[in-house]
Amino acid sequence: MNRALRRISIAVLVMFVLLIINVNYLQGFDTASLASKPGNSRAFYAAQNQYQRGSIVTSDGKVIAASRLSSGNDSIKYQRYYPSGPEYAPVTGYYTIFGATGIEAAENSLLSGNDSSLDVRKVIDLITGKTTRGATVQVTVNSRAQDAAWNALKALGKPGAVVALNPKTGAILAMASYPSFDPNVLAIHDGAKLNKVDNKLLKDKTQPLVNRALDGAYPPGSTFKIVTSSALLTQSPSTTINTSVDSPTTLTLPQTQHVLHNDQGEPCGDGSGQAPLITAFAQSCDTTFGKIGIQVGANALNDMAEQFGMNDANLTVPLPVAKSNYVIPASQALTAFSAIGQFSDTVTPLQEAMFSAGIANNGTLMMLAVVQQPEGTAYAFRQAVTGVEIAGKTGTAETGQVSLNDAAFTCFAPFANPDIAVGVIIQGGGYGASAAAPIAVQVIKAYQQAMGNQ
């Protein structure tokens, strides 16, 4: 009996000691982490009453999120506001009494003033009598490029997204999603009203809370031919962009009765059954790239897709990003479909921009042909930005109904010295050249003007 009691007493003592250690650790060493956790409403109330949360600004100094004194009888001193609301919502996210998203969440420790890197500044503020404030966070987004992306999406009126990158650094220059939401309607301090607004947004069939730029996953269509052609050129070093490749008008897929056609049954090149690789790429011949897919094999396509950034479940910018998927097909016939972006391949608009950023860093004439050669699917935009050569690839992801096909476009510019890569996906946009490419061109034009290149 005494032995049993002794064991119980020891166990209780050990648990008590562990509890004391845990409480002391939390209070002494982990306070900053606890205070900056999204969803900590007590920390929210304390922070908003104590000092101003830091602002979020663009690379060119435009304020896109800030805190100001609350109005009326609000018991909380400061209130968050978003001057450009829906346009920058995919970037800023929101900051509420119940949680945060976007940069508000990713950089919460800095914005809230709880990051350890701010300790020295806090001491200086205390000594000098200055009011302590959260740190200002500057994002890499350029306001001119962002305006162009948002306005073009809004004018088109179809669900979609745009991402623009600096191909040399990977910095995001624009990130717009449509339809969007106004984070100001969530930056309120009445919990009941906030729940009502939040539920309304969650039930909205247009899904305005979804950041399509990072979280939307769509078939890439013919933009995946960038991956397929890269796999061929890597696997066969003797092949060049001018090498003739099999380009039949129709392609019967192995072990099936299915026949693959080009768009509207058109022949590839001169219709001889052979075409230079650059011509097949510019014309976006499905039969050519379906056959290349069979030739190089699914594993090679998968390896190249991953080199471009697909299948990465841990990608962050620093916001979390949905994985762009390449699923290895079970047959040669399905491999042919995957090679033209029509099997189970899915990409985010960010991934579309990454396709072009990857090419821009290594340089290729093939994407230039899509825009600059008469047979290219985006030839209409060859002079869209004065003095700037654009290299790109259109894509149309077939859904079974032409009016519901998704439109995609990926490009970079200027060709000789790229400083911007753009990815656009429009749900139900139809052809990439008609719906997605004009938006990308507007973003490029706005950015070149902002950089003084126009």
Side-chain angles (χ1 to χ4, degrees):
M1 186 70 174
N2 290 336
R3 183 178 297 176
L5 287 174
R6 188 180 299 110
R7 288 177 178 172
I8 293 173
S9 298
I10 292 173
V12 171
L13 178 62
V14 169
M15 288 189 288
F16 183 75
V17 170
L18 290 174
L19 179 62
I20 293 296
I21 292 172
N22 184 58
V23 169
N24 279 275
Y25 173 77
L26 291 175
Q27 292 183 345
F29 301 97
D30 206 31
T31 53
S33 174
L34 288 173
S36 62
K37 279 186 181 294
N40 186 343
S41 58
R42 182 175 295 179
F44 176 91
Y45 284 107
Q48 293 295 79
N49 277 319
Q50 184 178 4
Y51 53 83
Q52 279 183 291
R53 185 174 174 83
S55 299
I56 303 174
V57 301
T58 64
S59 63
D60 49 341
K62 181 175 181 176
V63 177
I64 57 178
S67 290
R68 59 188 174 191
L69 290 173
S70 299
S71 57
N73 298 319
D74 200 323
S75 61
I76 299 178
K77 186 175 181 180
Y78 295 107
Q79 184 172 24
R80 205 67 170 152
Y81 76 103
Y82 303 87
S84 298
E87 178 179 346
Y88 284 91
V91 179
T92 62
Y94 56 74
Y95 180 67
T96 76
I97 59 177
F98 296 139
T101 62
I103 292 297
E104 293 278 31
E107 302 296 346
N108 184 54
S109 62
L110 287 168
L111 292 166
S112 65
N114 290 315
D115 195 88
S116 59
S117 65
L118 303 176
D119 289 347
V120 174
R121 196 189 75 174
K122 286 181 182 178
V123 172
I124 294 173
D125 287 345
L126 181 64
I127 294 173
T128 58
K130 290 183 179 179
T131 301
T132 299
R133 302 179 61 175
T136 295
V137 170
Q138 186 174 48
V139 295
T140 57
V141 171
N142 175 273
S143 66
R144 297 273 294 270
Q146 182 74 11
D147 287 347
W150 170 248
N151 291 333
L153 285 172
K154 190 167 62 170
L156 184 63
K158 292 181 177 292
V162 180
V163 176
L165 304 174
N166 181 324
K168 296 183 177 68
T169 66
I172 292 181
L173 305 175
M175 184 170 71
S177 176
Y178 182 87
S180 187
F181 70 99
D182 186 354
N184 287 296
V185 302
L186 295 170
I188 57 179
H189 302 151
D190 186 316
K193 289 183 179 179
L194 176 57
N195 277 330
K196 186 176 180 180
V197 172
D198 188 43
N199 287 330
K200 183 178 179 181
L201 288 169
L202 288 171
K203 293 177 181 178
D204 191 327
K205 293 181 179 179
T206 66
Q207 298 181 300
L209 291 175
V210 175
N211 182 358
R212 290 170 169 83
L214 303 182
D215 298 328
Y218 313 95
S222 290
T223 60
F224 192 80
K225 291 169 184 172
I226 295 170
V227 177
T228 304
S229 57
S230 297
L232 173 65
L233 293 169
T234 300
Q235 190 179 90
S236 177
S238 62
T239 299
T240 70
I241 60 173
N242 295 310
T243 299
S244 288
V245 291
D246 289 340
S247 302
T249 301
T250 61
L251 177 65
T252 302
L253 300 180
Q255 293 90 46
T256 73
Q257 299 298 315
H258 189 90
V259 178
L260 188 63
H261 300 266
N262 294 317
D263 184 43
Q264 298 182 353
E266 295 178 347
C268 189
D270 60 9
S272 65
Q274 293 281 311
L277 179 60
I278 191 171
T279 300
F281 187 85
Q283 196 176 328
S284 199
C285 302
D286 285 346
T287 56
T288 304
F289 286 91
K291 191 154 190 178
I292 290 174
I294 294 171
Q295 174 186 335
V296 300
N299 288 329
L301 291 176
N302 181 69
D303 290 346
M304 186 55 63
E306 291 184 350
Q307 289 186 47
F308 275 99
M310 295 179 70
N311 292 339
D312 184 354
N314 300 311
L315 180 63
T316 58
V317 292
L319 311 184
V321 181
K323 184 173 69 170
S324 294
N325 290 298
Y326 181 81
V327 179
I328 296 179
S331 68
Q332 287 186 317
L334 294 177
T335 299
F337 278 111
S338 76
I340 60 173
Q342 289 290 161
F343 177 50
S344 294
D345 321 353
T346 58
V347 296
T348 61
L350 172 64
Q351 180 64 61
E352 286 287 4
M354 289 168 64
F355 283 154
S356 279
I359 295 296
N361 277 326
N362 295 304
T364 178
L365 291 173
M366 286 212 299
M367 290 182 72
L368 188 65
V370 172
V371 181
Q372 302 298 329
Q373 292 190 4
E375 69 271 20
T377 54
Y379 181 65
F381 302 101
R382 67 194 183 281
Q383 296 178 334
V385 184
T386 304
V388 177
E389 283 190 310
I390 299 174
K393 182 73 188 79
T394 59
T396 302
E398 297 178 5
T399 61
Q401 301 179 56
V402 174
S403 62
L404 297 178
N405 287 346
D406 292 342
F409 188 62
T410 179
C411 62
F412 66 85
F415 175 74
N417 185 27
D419 59 14
I420 185 171
V422 184
V424 183
I425 295 179
I426 303 298
Q427 293 175 258
Y431 287 103
S434 60
I439 294 175
V441 167
Q442 291 183 54
V443 174
I444 290 173
K445 185 175 183 179
Y447 185 68
Q448 296 304 316
Q449 290 173 343
M451 295 295 102
N453 298 329
Q454 284 288 289

